[in-house]
Every structure is written in structure tokens, then in C-alpha cells.
């Protein structure tokens, strides 16, 4: 049986999801294999924490678990046969008068006057699985759910921002995984029924895919927003104009206002993480880039300019 997810994360059972996510992100950052090379203990704990978070990341599943309707494997919990008294049958002798297996000869047979004998109640109730006297039918075995399979994938920064599909290996199979927009390093995706096969008619296990997002040389993520630096020339800074910029999901024609400064930040709404209905924004910081090589002409210009130049406010 799977571990109790709240205990794995170290939060109180029933904790709000915002708290669960905050704790998970902290743990995932501390335990990630990239931060703990060759540390098997940290790697194992990272997998356990990721699996616990994945279980609680589904609002409906979390609510059912918090109400005690399912266990940590996601399987339903079965209630008793009525209540109000002692035991699962509500008190009293279950085989006596008024009991679920008593009264009016229910659950008994007569072998002779005044000689009641218990009938095979289990054969009546569960005849498909049990034999005539309550024993298991020859060849019958209790079913077991298939094992979950753990694997990892590395994805490009752009795919984490915009979403994508990627093929992963699960044993001798190749499975296409849908990468949701906004996925972060340490997130585990659960593919139901894609794990090991079940036994005795029970369902297959799940495929657990833990994601690592490759760092990017230009783009940095800030929640659902993305930040980047854009080199621009002196004339573009002073005079303004339009420039082509490569952004995570393509290219954009960007207008630079005249008189901008190095360090000016431009905001493009909706060009960050492509979450449906609420995408993040892209923040572009302008960075002055001087031409390489001999800048004698520029130095001469600055020499004349310095006579009337005033230092900027700092």
C-alpha cells in the first residue's frame, strides 16, 4: 500500500493545497538529484515526495482522501453493513432472530426435527468465488493491482512553458506523455493504467513520470512569468524602433520607446507560461550592447558629449 501522502510531505492531514504545494516545492528543490549527485537516499526520498504531491495535486482525489472515502492508493474504502450497534452488523447475534443471517430459517437448513444446521452462508453470498462449504474455490486467487512504474524525463525550457508531448520508455513499451504547460522540475505526472499489469482482474498500475526542466541560457522563470535580457544598440536605445526578439514560444516584433535606458523593462502580457485562461507575462529587460572592435568614432563622440553630459541620478 502507498505511504500516507501528508506524512511523507510532513504536513498535517487535510492541510490546504497551498500549504502542500509550498512544502513540496521546498523539498523538491532540496532533494532533487541534480542537487544531490550520487545520493541514493535523497533520490529515493525525492521520488516519495513527488509521488505524494502528485496524489494530492488532484483536487477531487484530495477531497475524497480527506473525507476517508479512498485510501492512499486511490482505492475506495468499504463501509460496514449498517450501523448503530456493535460490530459491522449493528450489534447482537448476526445469526439470531432479526440478524442478517438469522430469522425465518435464513442461513440455516433443517436436517431433521429440531436439528438446525448452518447453511454455507458464504457460498450463498459469494458463490462465484467460494465453494459449497465456505472454502475458496479450487484455483481461485485474490487479485492484486499492478505495480506502479517510476521513470524520469528531461524536457526543454520552452516545452515546460508552452506544453508538449514527449515519448518515454516504460519497460518494453514506448508511451507518449502529454507535458502540461507550466510543469516544474520535480513534478511527477501520473499516467493511470500504464504501469505493471494487474492480476486476477484487478487494474494495471500507473506510470509515474518525474520531470526535470533543462535550464536556459536566456530565459528565467518567475512563477508563471518569464524574464529575459535583450541586447540592443545605442541607436535603438536613443531613437527607439522595432526589433525582432526570440521568445519562448516563437518570435515577436518589439517596439522600443525612444529615450529608453539600459535596464528598461518591457512587459508582454500573456507571453509567459501558457496556462489555459490565465497565462503568465514576459518581461524583457533592455541591455545596451556596444559593437565589438575599434570604437574610435564612438569614443570621439563621447569625448565631445562629456563636456555637457551630466551624471544620471543614482
Amino acid at each position: 500500500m502507498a505511504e500516507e501522502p501528508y506524512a511523507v510531505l510532513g504536513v498535517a492531514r487535510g492541510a490546504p493545497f497551498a500549504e502542500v504545494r509550498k512544502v513540496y516545492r521546498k523539498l523538491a528543490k532540496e532533494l532533487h538529484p541534480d542537487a544531490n549527485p550520487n545520493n541514493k537516499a535523497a533520490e529515493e526520498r525525492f521520488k516519495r515526495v513527488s509521488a505524494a504531491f502528485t496524489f494530492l495535486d488532484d483536487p477531487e482525489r484530495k477531497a475524497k482522501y480527506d473525507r476517508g472515502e479512498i485510501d492512499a492508493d486511490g482505492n475506495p474504502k468499504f463501509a460496514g453493513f449498517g450501523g448503530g450497534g456493535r460490530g459491522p452488523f449493528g450489534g447482537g447475534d448476526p445469526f439470531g432472530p432479526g440478524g442478517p443471517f438469522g430469522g425465518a430459517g435464513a442461513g440455516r437448513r433443517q436436517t431433521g426435527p429440531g436439528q438446525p444446521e448452518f447453511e454455507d452462508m458464504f457460498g450463498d453470498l459469494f458463490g462465484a468465488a467460494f465453494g459449497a462449504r465456505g472454502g475458496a474455490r479450487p484455483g481461485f486467487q485474490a487479485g492484486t493491482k499492478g505495480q506502479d512504474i517510476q521513470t524520469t524525463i528531461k524536457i526543454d525550457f520552452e516545452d515546460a512553458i508552452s506544453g508538449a508531448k514527449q515519448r518515454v520508455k516504460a519497460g518494453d513499451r514506448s508511451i507518449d506523455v502529454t507535458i502540461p504547460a507550466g510543469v516544474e522540475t520535480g513534478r511527477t505526472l501520473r499516467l493511470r493504467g500504464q504501469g505493471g499489469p494487474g492480476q486476477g482482474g484487478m487494474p494495471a498500475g500507473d506510470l509515474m513520470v518525474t520531470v526535470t526542466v533543462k535550464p536556459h541560457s536566456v530565459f528565467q522563470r518567475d512563477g508563471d512569468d518569464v524574464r529575459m535580457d535583450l541586447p540592443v544598440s545605442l541607436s535603438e536605445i536613443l531613437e527607439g524602433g522595432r526589433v525582432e526578439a526570440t521568445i519562448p514560444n516563437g518570435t515577436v516584433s518589439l517596439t522600443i520607446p525612444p529615450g529608453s535606458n539600459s535596464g528598461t523593462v518591457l512587459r508582454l502580457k500573456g507571453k509567459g507560461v501558457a496556462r489555459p485562461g490565465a497565462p503568465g507575462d514576459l518581461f524583457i529587460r533592455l541591455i545596451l550592447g556596444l559593437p565589438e572592435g575599434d570604437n574610435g568614432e564612438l569614443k570621439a563622440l563621447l569625448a565631445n558629449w562629456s563636456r555637457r553630459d551630466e551624471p544620471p541620478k543614482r
Side-chain angles (χ1 to χ4, degrees):
M1 182 175 178
E3 296 180 273
E4 207 288 312
Y6 290 107
V8 173
L9 293 169
V11 297
R13 182 174 180 126
F17 181 69
E19 180 182 348
V20 170
R21 180 171 55 189
K22 180 180 178 181
V23 171
Y24 165 70
R25 287 180 172 176
K26 179 177 181 292
L27 291 174
K29 185 176 181 181
E30 293 175 356
L31 299 170
H32 193 274
D34 287 349
N36 300 273
N38 302 319
N39 187 334
K40 292 295 184 182
E43 181 180 353
E44 181 60 30
R45 177 119 193 270
F46 174 75
K47 291 179 179 178
R48 292 170 53 214
V49 164
S50 297
F53 177 74
T54 298
F55 181 87
L56 297 173
D57 191 31
D58 184 322
E60 182 179 356
R61 183 168 58 233
K62 181 180 185 299
K64 287 183 177 180
Y65 183 74
D66 290 349
R67 293 193 298 266
E69 297 173 6
I70 59 174
D71 62 21
D73 287 312
N75 298 320
K77 288 185 176 180
F78 296 103
F81 292 90
R86 302 183 306 275
F89 302 107
D93 178 7
F95 299 100
F101 303 116
R108 300 170 184 257
R109 62 175 178 167
Q110 297 285 349
T111 58
Q115 296 179 358
E117 179 177 320
F118 284 115
E119 185 66 86
D120 184 359
M121 64 177 180
F122 293 111
D124 292 340
L125 292 174
F126 308 111
F130 292 90
R133 304 299 290 177
R137 189 176 64 192
F140 175 80
Q141 293 183 349
T144 56
K145 182 182 177 183
Q147 286 190 335
D148 293 342
I149 296 177
Q150 302 271 355
T151 189
T152 60
I153 57 172
K154 287 189 176 183
I155 64 173
D156 293 331
F157 184 92
E158 293 88 341
D159 289 341
I161 297 302
S162 303
K165 283 186 178 293
Q166 186 163 323
R167 181 159 293 186
V168 300
K169 294 287 289 183
D172 58 353
R173 296 175 297 150
S174 294
I175 299 175
D176 287 329
V177 178
T178 298
I179 309 297
V183 68
E184 298 178 77
T185 288
R187 175 73 181 273
T188 298
L189 308 177
R190 180 190 293 266
L191 279 68
R192 295 196 175 277
Q194 297 296 332
Q199 303 294 326
M202 293 296 285
D206 301 333
L207 175 62
M208 314 290 287
V209 183
T210 301
V211 178
T212 296
V213 181
K214 301 175 187 175
H216 199 278
S217 60
V218 176
F219 309 123
Q220 296 87 40
R221 185 164 172 183
D222 181 9
D224 284 345
D225 298 329
V226 177
R227 298 183 180 274
M228 62 175 288
D229 291 342
L230 179 66
V232 290
S233 67
L234 181 59
S235 60
E236 288 167 337
I237 282 283
L238 294 175
E239 300 173 2
R242 296 187 70 82
V243 298
E244 292 291 320
T246 299
I247 62 176
N249 52 3
T251 59
V252 66
S253 182
L254 185 68
T255 299
I256 299 178
S260 296
N261 254 319
S262 182
T264 294
V265 176
L266 306 178
R267 177 185 182 187
L268 300 184
K269 295 193 66 175
K271 295 297 184 180
V273 175
R275 291 197 188 276
D281 299 332
L282 174 65
F283 293 88
I284 301 177
R285 183 173 63 172
L286 305 180
I287 300 296
L288 176 62
L290 297 177
E292 297 181 359
D294 183 14
N295 290 318
E297 185 178 356
L298 179 58
K299 291 178 180 178
L301 174 63
L302 289 176
N304 293 327
W305 178 263
S306 63
R307 298 170 185 170
R308 53 191 179 88
D309 190 19
E310 294 182 3
K313 293 182 180 179
R314 296 184 174 88

